[in-house]
Amino acid sequence: MGLIALGINHKSANIALRERVAFAPEQMAEALQDALADALLAEVVILSTCNRTELFAIVADEHVEGGEQRALAWLGAYHHIPLSDLESCYYSYSDQNALRHIIQVTSGLDSMVLGEPQIFGQMKSAFAVAQEAGSVDSELSRIFPHVFSVAKKVRTDTAIGKNPVSVAYAAVNLSHHIFSDLTETHALLIGAGETIELVARHLSENGVKSIVVANRTLGRARELAHRFGAEAVLLSEIPEQLVNADIVISSTASQLPILGKGAVEHALKLRKHRPILMVDIAVPRDIEEQVGELSDIYLYTVDDLTEIVDENKRNRESEARKADKLIDQGVDNYLQQLRSLDVVSTLKAYRQLSEQTRDIELERALKQLAKGESAEQVVTQLARSLTNKFMHRPSIEMKKASADGREDKVGWAHQLFGLHVDVDVDKEPKESD
């Protein structure tokens, strides 16, 4: 195939180096064209995310030798990074191993969070950008649709991405067990840190009706709320916000509980005992333990979520083994497709050669007929000449194979020409002029 996959990721390089080799979206088209020219690549796709930068390229036959090193040198030169900085942490694959790696990446099997789904869209986007930039041709245009097909099969035929493996996602996932339709629910988020930001993103993606962010400082709450079309309030406003909150998720750095049993009891009365899901991710806890004793309150702590996450990680690892088998099948299927393409081109070439031979002999026969020679003699000579021409090269090759002790080739000839074992293949008609 001449396919190579080369790059660095979260497992091979620290974040400082990953930042240095990252490509900004606005420079991607230029970079793709630059890679084609400077690294002598025939085709190339570049994937650049927070966790990895990789080049997927086709190297033409005449440039295969040294292709990997040229690609690596180009990556360093483009970002003004000494080659020695990359040589200690890059990885590369070629041909079927490169194909397997691309499918693994696209399926989420090589991600920091095993099975995460975002990488599939990122890979599709990288391929689309390369198409628009004109850096892909027939090979990658055949490879990537196959990659997406296999990765999609991995996602649908295994549970690799179905179980949450982050605390934030697990917190949101619990809401599906309490409420059948999140589009009719209201969420109250307490805190404005990284975990709450992830929670807000997951809730927003799940279509929750409204989100309120409560924080000690209003500025940070507004900053986070603005990203998700939410409302920002101070911690002091939590009691009145509880009345409308179906989902409460809290993660602050407070050393004392923020939400007590009394405030929750009061809110439940005003809500006419409609249930509330409460998830306390904070350590120390933000929600008093006694709140969990109230009817219509479903309270989970970070320990509960950790147990869920750990179990889900084990499940994903089990599903990853199933995914590996699907990927192996996908690689084998693609190689079979390539072999089929090789056969098609071989048959096409053989047909062209046969037709060329036929046309030459036919033209000779017509000239003989035009001279008044016997039609029977001309047709007989035409048949004999065509037989000799078609037999000439196979006869030479089979004799050579037999002399070299290559009985396997002779056996293939029997099968190719539909011959029986008792056929004497040594009798070769002599080619006439």
Side-chain angles (χ1 to χ4, degrees):
M1 289 183 283
L3 174 67
I4 61 171
L6 175 148
I8 66 171
N9 65 12
H10 58 283
K11 292 182 284 189
S12 71
N14 59 36
I15 189 169
L17 184 57
R18 298 204 306 275
E19 287 173 340
R20 292 168 67 193
V21 298
F23 291 87
E26 59 271 15
Q27 68 180 152
M28 189 62 82
E30 175 199 42
L32 287 163
Q33 289 300 323
D34 197 61
L36 290 177
D38 288 5
L40 301 179
L41 303 176
E43 304 177 45
V44 64
V45 170
I46 298 175
L47 173 69
S48 186
T49 73
C50 58
N51 285 329
R52 69 181 64 243
T53 292
E54 298 192 355
L55 276 67
F56 311 119
I58 297 295
V59 185
D61 290 344
E62 62 270 25
H63 299 306
V64 165
E65 188 173 349
E68 174 193 313
Q69 286 304 313
R70 283 195 306 274
L72 184 66
W74 171 82
L75 183 62
Y78 189 87
H79 290 292
H80 308 291
I81 300 171
L83 191 57
S84 57
D85 288 1
L86 296 176
E87 285 178 330
S88 61
C89 60
Y90 87 100
Y91 48 83
S92 67
Y93 305 91
S94 61
D95 294 330
Q96 65 187 67
N97 290 327
L99 177 60
R100 179 177 287 103
H101 173 73
I102 298 171
I103 300 174
Q104 287 174 330
V105 171
T106 309
S107 304
L109 293 179
D110 197 52
S111 297
M112 182 179 289
V113 177
L114 182 64
E116 63 93 2
Q118 287 83 3
I119 189 66
F120 185 90
Q122 291 168 333
M123 189 70 89
K124 291 195 78 171
S125 176
F127 178 59
V129 169
Q131 283 181 307
E132 190 173 338
S135 67
V136 299
D137 204 344
S138 58
E139 289 288 343
L140 291 184
S141 292
R142 185 164 50 240
I143 286 171
F144 272 88
H146 183 77
V147 166
F148 299 139
S149 174
V150 177
K152 187 175 180 181
K153 185 175 180 61
V154 168
R155 307 296 301 189
T156 54
D157 290 7
T158 73
I160 188 70
K162 292 182 180 177
N163 301 309
V165 291
S166 73
V167 169
Y169 192 82
V172 174
N173 191 257
L174 282 171
S175 60
H176 289 285
H177 298 286
I178 310 299
F179 306 101
S180 58
D181 185 6
L182 291 188
T183 61
E184 294 300 319
T185 60
H186 303 268
L188 170 62
L189 307 184
I190 304 174
E194 184 178 329
T195 300
I196 289 297
E197 182 178 348
L198 287 172
V199 168
R201 180 177 291 110
H202 292 315
L203 285 171
S204 180
E205 290 171 352
N206 279 269
V208 70
K209 190 169 187 178
S210 70
I211 300 174
V212 174
V213 179
N215 194 48
R216 196 174 304 279
T217 58
L218 199 56
R220 173 58 184 157
R222 282 175 175 163
E223 182 184 333
L224 180 57
H226 177 71
R227 297 181 199 173
F228 302 101
E231 179 186 354
V233 300
L234 291 169
L235 294 182
S236 58
E237 299 177 62
I238 287 177
E240 59 191 77
Q241 293 294 334
L242 274 176
V243 178
N244 294 318
D246 304 300
I247 302 167
V248 177
I249 301 177
S250 184
S251 179
T252 76
S254 174
Q255 296 302 302
L256 297 172
I258 290 173
L259 196 52
K261 184 178 180 181
V264 178
E265 278 185 310
H266 180 68
L268 282 174
K269 288 178 183 177
L270 295 176
R271 287 173 59 84
K272 298 181 180 178
H273 295 279
R274 282 182 290 120
I276 302 177
L277 168 65
M278 291 190 171
V279 184
D280 188 354
I281 306 175
V283 179
R285 284 179 282 191
D286 284 338
I287 302 173
E288 286 184 349
E289 186 177 0
Q290 291 76 13
V291 171
E293 300 170 0
L294 298 172
S295 299
D296 305 311
I297 293 293
Y298 298 89
L299 176 62
Y300 294 86
T301 68
V302 69
D303 285 347
D304 297 321
L305 296 185
T306 301
E307 290 177 11
I308 294 172
V309 167
D310 288 345
E311 176 61 26
N312 288 345
K313 283 181 179 178
R314 288 190 290 272
N315 291 338
R316 284 198 178 191
E317 288 166 0
S318 172
E319 292 300 304
R321 288 190 286 273
K322 297 180 186 176
D324 283 335
K325 293 180 180 178
L326 293 175
I327 290 172
D328 287 341
Q329 291 172 7
V331 171
D332 289 343
N333 289 342
Y334 187 77
L335 294 177
Q336 287 176 9
Q337 290 176 29
L338 284 185
R339 286 192 288 269
S340 296
L341 288 174
D342 287 342
V343 168
V344 169
S345 60
T346 300
L347 288 173
K348 184 178 179 182
Y350 184 63
R351 176 175 288 278
Q352 288 175 342
L353 179 63
S354 300
E355 289 176 347
Q356 187 180 36
T357 302
R358 176 203 63 196
D359 292 343
I360 291 173
E361 294 304 318
L362 180 60
E363 185 179 358
R364 178 186 294 179
L366 291 173
K367 285 179 180 179
Q368 291 172 334
L369 288 174
K371 289 178 182 178
E373 295 185 21
S374 163
E376 182 179 352
Q377 184 179 348
V378 170
V379 170
T380 302
Q381 177 62 30
L382 173 63
R384 182 182 297 111
S385 182
L386 282 174
T387 301
N388 288 340
K389 292 282 186 182
F390 291 144
M391 285 291 299
H392 181 63
R393 175 53 61 181
S395 298
I396 290 175
E397 292 300 323
M398 279 197 292
K399 282 188 174 184
K400 184 176 183 300
S402 181
D404 292 343
R406 294 296 306 273
E407 296 303 322
D408 56 327
K409 282 191 174 182
V410 177
W412 274 109
H414 288 178
Q415 192 171 353
L416 184 64
F417 295 118
L419 305 176
H420 298 293
V421 217
D422 56 349
V423 173
D424 188 352
V425 294
D426 286 331
K427 289 185 179 178
E428 177 191 357
K430 294 181 180 178
E431 184 178 353
S432 60
D433 293 332

